[in-house]
């Protein structure tokens, strides 16, 4: 899952000399919240966010005079004065997983992707990552979710996949989650079929426990060990 | 009760659209959407002694003109061709078919159109169409979830074009979200689509969340009630009273089409709901009373899913009793 497949390639950027008013207009027009700032050679030098712009705007508590003065300063200020230069970037060799972890760790909303010269190639926002998750889960296509409890040992998932294959069912995704019983795993295949009754019967016959989604989500989710427990 | 008289010569209260040719749609061995479903359902109505109180009519195939009011011509042709050349399924391996499937699918639509004619001519007040294949997953050019033509959707367009009605309500109580029907009308403010179903995170087809409320001009004319797995009679009845009735009071339908799936029953293995016979009756009574109040009782109920054969027999008999105002 290289990031180049998930990133937005047509990046909207501004030059160092742009004013905050120009940056704001551009962000509104393109409906984006992160605007990379580039130098003459298209090298990334900073990023302005909608939050940076908002904090540069005069406060709503200002008097009208103060407000007008603030507004004209806002209009004339150049982006390089408010942009953040402490950049978190990715290279095309990074993956969607890298992006997820980095976004979570550094608490940013978007990551520019740059080449070895620092030139901007793309940008990955939280929104792009969500889209790739929807794709990975296969939930953009019609299907049904099965909830299976399996022993935590080698070969169990294979058995499940074999049964689904024998039943001629196409698989959108299989998520595996911790189970409250440490010896077990909860397996969630998303299958592209309406016909789950027969599948469930075959899986039960093969010794798997089909979890009633109610008990799984409503009663037991809270009992699953949290992060770091396993 | 009103003007219904069991001895009256010509006017029946309720029509039953049923045709033995519906059994000819052959889905092969051990397919849940099987001909026995209709056998069980018809048997249930018969054994309850209800047949001679109903106006029973067979189907005639729907004309291309009406199918094309909903489906792409090329899709209809492809379906016809695939069927003729003996393909085992159409579009997706769930949609098993036999040589007769195309003709039977046209008959199913035709039965629903005939039912709407009977109601609009005042011959009956309402009707139940015991048809297969079902329809609510079928889109403009997609067969899905055992559905080929969207029976209810064609009827909605028929009511608008032939009978010049403006506002049609489609109420879908099948346990699965009718993604086909929703997609066909989501931009259309004149056809209101309401669906109560198992939450899409758990059940096919994975759509029908509350935030799906229509698009463009149709915003506000789609409403979804996703129910958590295991929902009970009381939860269903509460939900449908709480959110179907107010939107219908605003929309003021001139005709109610019901996508009646019996697969939310506790004994139905296709999904995870916990409705009993009584719960089904309660939910359907709410819809029936609404049609009486808002559009002179004009309502056509069309079979969608429901795969537990003994349940189908009982639920269909109860369903017909409610249509008969009992
Ligand atoms: Zn269904």
């Amino acid at each position: 899952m290289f990031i180049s497949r998930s990133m937005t390639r047509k990046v909207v950027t501004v030059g160092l000399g742009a004013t905050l008013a120009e940056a704001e207009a551009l962000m509104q027009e393109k409906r984006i919240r992160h605007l990379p700032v580039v130098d003459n050679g298209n090298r990334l030098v900073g990023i302005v966010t909608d939050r940076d712009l908002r904090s540069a705007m005069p406060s709503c508590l200002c008097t009208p005079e103060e407000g007008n003065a603030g507004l004209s300063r806002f209009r004339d200020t150049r982006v390089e004065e408010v942009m953040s230069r402490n950049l978190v970037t990715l290279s095309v060799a990074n993956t969607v997983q890298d992006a997820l972890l980095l976004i979570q760790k550094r608490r940013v909303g978007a990551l520019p992707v740059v080449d070895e010269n620092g030139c901007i190639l793309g940008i990955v926002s939280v929104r792009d990552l969500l889209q790739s998750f929807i794709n990975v889960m296969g939930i953009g296509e019609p299907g049904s979710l099965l909830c299976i409890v399996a022993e935590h040992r080698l070969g169990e998932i294979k058995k499940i996949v074999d049964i689904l294959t024998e039943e001629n069912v196409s698989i959108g995704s299989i998520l595996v989650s911790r189970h409250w019983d440490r010896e077990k795993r909860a397996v969630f295949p998303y299958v592209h079929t309406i016909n789950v009754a027969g599948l469930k019967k075959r899986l039960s016959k093969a010794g798997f426990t089909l979890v009633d989604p109610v008990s799984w989500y409503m009663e037991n989710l809270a009992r699953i060990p949290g992060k770091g427990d396993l | 009760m009103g003007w219904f008289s069991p001895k009256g010569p010509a006017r029946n209260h309720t029509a039953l659209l049923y045709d033995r040719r519906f059994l000819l749609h052959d889905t092969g061995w051990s397919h849940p959407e099987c001909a026995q479903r209709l056998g069980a359902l018809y048997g249930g109505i018969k054994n309850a002694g209800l047949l001679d109180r109903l106006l029973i009519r067979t189907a005639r195939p729907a004309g291309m003109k009406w199918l094309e009011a909903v489906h792409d011509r090329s899709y209809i042709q492809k379906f016809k061709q695939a069927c003729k050349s003996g393909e085992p399924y159409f579009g997706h391996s769930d949609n098993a078919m036999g040589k007769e499937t195309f003709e039977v699918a046209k008959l199913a639509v035709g039965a629903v159109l005939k039912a709407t004619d009977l109601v609009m001519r005042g011959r009956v007040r309402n009707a139940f169409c015991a048809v297969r294949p079902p329809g609510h997953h079928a889109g403009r050019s997609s067969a899905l979830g055992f559905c080929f033509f969207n029976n209810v959707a064609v009827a909605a367009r028929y009511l608008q074009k032939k009978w010049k009605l403006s506002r049609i309500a489609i109420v879908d109580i099948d346990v699965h979200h009718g993604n086909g029907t929703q997609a066909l009308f989501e931009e259309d403010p004149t056809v209101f689509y309401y669906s109560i179903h198992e939450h899409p995170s758990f059940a096919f087809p994975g759509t029908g969340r509350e935030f799906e409320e229509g698009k463009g001009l149709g915003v506000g004319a789609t409403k979804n009630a996703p129910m958590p797995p295991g929902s009970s009679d009381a939860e269903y009845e509460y939900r449908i009273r709480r959110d179907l009735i107010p939107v219908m009071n605003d929309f003021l339908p001139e005709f109610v089409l019901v996508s009646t799936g019996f697969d939310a029953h506790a004994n139905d293995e296709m999904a995870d709901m916990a409705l009993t016979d009584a719960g089904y009756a309660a939910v359907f009574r709410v819809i029936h009373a609404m049609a009486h109040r808002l559009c002179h009782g004009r309502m056509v109920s069309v079979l969608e899913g429901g795969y537990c054969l003994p349940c189908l027999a009982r639920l269909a008999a109860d369903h017909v009793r409610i249509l008969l105002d009992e």
Side-chain angles (χ1 to χ4, degrees):
Chain A
M1 295 215 285
F2 285 111
I3 202 66
S4 53
R5 289 190 163 222
S6 298
M7 69 188 189
T8 301
R9 286 171 184 277
K10 281 193 182 147
V11 194
V12 181
T13 59
V14 281
L16 278 165
T19 64
L20 294 190
E22 286 163 347
E24 192 197 22
L26 197 57
M27 285 163 85
Q28 255 172 23
E29 183 203 329
K30 305 285 183 186
R31 305 180 70 185
I32 51 174
R33 286 170 22 198
H34 302 85
L35 195 56
V37 183
V38 292
D39 67 11
N40 289 335
N42 200 34
R43 273 189 304 268
L44 180 71
V45 288
I47 194 162
V48 255
T49 66
D50 57 345
R51 195 190 286 182
D52 296 333
L53 292 185
R54 248 181 286 136
S55 58
M57 288 273 256
S59 152
C60 56
L61 301 175
C62 291
T63 63
E65 295 78 47
E66 289 169 342
N68 285 337
L71 217 53
S72 79
R73 268 225 310 287
F74 176 82
R75 285 198 201 102
D76 297 338
T77 304
R78 285 148 49 105
V79 286
E80 63 180 312
E81 291 176 45
V82 301
M83 70 185 191
S84 52
R85 294 168 190 271
N86 180 15
L87 293 173
V88 192
T89 60
L90 294 171
S91 84
V92 282
N94 283 120
T95 60
V96 170
Q97 290 93 320
D98 297 336
L100 278 172
L101 295 169
L102 202 57
I103 277 183
Q104 190 201 31
K105 186 166 182 204
R106 301 292 294 266
R107 295 166 190 262
V108 292
L111 297 170
V113 182
V114 294
D115 67 12
E116 57 274 20
N117 301 318
C119 290
I120 188 152
L121 298 171
I123 189 163
V124 188
S125 66
V126 169
R127 230 213 219 143
D128 296 323
L129 291 175
L130 287 177
Q131 185 55 52
S132 55
F133 249 79
I134 291 171
N135 294 345
V136 161
M137 290 175 78
I139 55 178
E141 266 183 79
S144 319
L145 189 77
L146 301 175
C147 314
I148 305 165
V149 177
E151 296 294 324
H152 182 209
R153 62 169 178 244
L154 216 59
E156 288 300 284
I157 304 235
K158 176 182 185 303
K159 273 199 243 163
I160 294 173
V161 172
D162 284 348
I163 291 174
L164 298 178
T165 310
E166 279 163 34
E167 290 288 315
N168 204 10
V169 164
S170 113
I171 302 168
S173 65
I174 300 188
L175 299 181
V176 183
S177 154
R178 280 181 266 252
H179 191 266
W180 57 92
D181 179 342
R182 274 165 185 267
E183 308 300 309
K184 293 187 169 142
R185 282 289 180 270
V187 184
F188 301 91
Y190 185 73
V191 290
H192 294 308
T193 179
I194 185 176
N195 195 358
V196 291
L199 281 182
K200 287 181 178 172
K201 265 185 218 147
R202 276 217 51 190
L203 288 161
S204 310
K205 244 191 210 155
F208 292 105
T209 310
L210 272 296
V211 186
D212 171 6
V214 193
S215 59
W216 173 258
Y217 279 95
M218 313 285 163
E219 294 160 27
N220 294 314
L221 209 60
R223 289 163 52 190
I224 298 170
K227 272 184 232 160
D229 280 359
L230 284 173
Chain B
M1 287 297 195
W3 48 271
F4 170 68
S5 147
K7 292 187 192 98
R11 300 182 92 190
N12 291 63
H13 191 283
T14 298
L16 173 66
L17 276 288
Y18 179 77
D19 199 305
R20 297 177 63 88
R21 288 173 290 174
F22 294 147
L23 309 182
L24 300 175
H25 163 43
D26 182 3
T27 49
W29 183 76
S30 102
H31 194 283
E33 206 289 278
C34 57
Q36 288 91 307
R37 292 176 63 230
L38 280 199
L41 190 143
Y42 187 77
I45 297 171
K46 187 177 169 197
N47 294 338
L50 296 164
L51 283 186
D52 42 354
R53 321 234 337 245
L54 298 165
L55 178 73
I56 298 174
R57 286 288 184 269
T58 54
R60 63 182 169 218
M64 281 299 279
K65 175 185 169 191
W66 299 116
L67 294 176
E68 285 178 10
V70 162
H71 297 284
D72 276 344
R73 180 173 295 177
S74 63
Y75 168 77
I76 303 171
Q77 290 309 330
K78 257 188 242 158
F79 175 26
K80 185 178 182 179
Q81 217 37 57
C83 187
K84 216 167 123 191
S85 57
E87 305 274 341
Y89 57 83
F90 182 58
H92 184 289
S93 58
D94 280 350
N95 312 318
M97 66 177 182
K99 285 267 187 204
E100 312 285 344
T101 297
F102 180 74
E103 288 305 319
V104 180
K106 279 203 305 192
L107 273 180
V109 179
V112 184
L113 302 189
K114 198 164 175 180
T116 60
D117 283 339
L118 291 169
V119 172
M120 290 309 296
R121 291 204 185 100
R123 181 70 180 80
V124 293
R125 183 170 285 188
N126 55 37
F128 178 45
C129 305
V131 299
R132 60 187 287 275
H136 73 153
H137 295 303
R140 177 163 294 283
S141 23
S142 53
L144 187 76
F146 315 152
C147 304
F148 302 89
F149 291 138
N150 197 311
N151 306 320
V152 162
V154 181
R157 288 293 179 232
Y158 184 77
L159 283 162
Q160 292 185 319
K161 291 191 172 155
K162 181 177 172 191
W163 291 99
K164 309 292 176 212
L165 297 187
S166 337
R167 291 178 312 279
I168 313 296
I170 299 175
V171 180
D172 188 332
I173 58 172
D174 188 279
V175 78
H176 304 104
H177 177 239
N179 57 329
T181 314
Q182 175 171 305
L184 284 165
F185 298 114
E186 63 192 346
E187 295 189 44
D188 185 342
T190 67
V191 178
F192 198 110
Y193 179 68
Y194 174 89
S195 178
I196 185 165
H197 46 261
E198 181 171 354
H199 192 283
S201 291
F202 307 95
F204 188 86
T207 50
R209 290 180 167 84
E210 270 165 315
F211 58 74
E212 295 167 30
E213 296 181 305
K215 291 180 179 168
L217 289 176
V219 168
T222 295
K223 191 168 176 70
N224 284 298
M227 302 295 286
S231 293
S232 66
D233 292 350
E235 286 159 327
Y236 248 73
E237 193 188 341
Y238 170 78
R239 186 64 181 261
I240 204 160
R241 275 188 198 285
R242 189 194 74 186
D243 57 26
L244 173 67
I245 301 308
V247 294
M248 286 297 132
N249 288 347
D250 284 347
F251 180 70
L252 296 175
E254 294 161 292
F255 203 105
V256 177
L257 294 163
V258 189
S259 268
T260 301
F262 292 115
D263 41 9
H265 194 277
N267 296 351
D268 197 300
E269 290 171 338
M270 289 292 271
D272 316 289
M273 284 303 162
L275 287 200
T276 66
D277 295 16
Y280 254 105
V283 163
F284 194 56
R285 275 203 189 90
V286 173
I287 301 166
H288 180 247
M290 174 199 81
H292 264 273
R293 200 161 45 75
L294 298 179
C295 53
H296 318 286
R298 281 176 183 165
M299 174 164 71
V300 168
S301 160
V302 182
L303 181 66
E304 299 284 357
Y307 305 94
C308 155
L309 300 181
C311 305
L312 281 173
R314 300 192 313 267
L315 293 171
D318 289 352
H319 193 72
V320 165
R321 280 195 199 97
I322 294 166
L323 287 170
L324 284 165
D325 266 356
E326 282 181 18

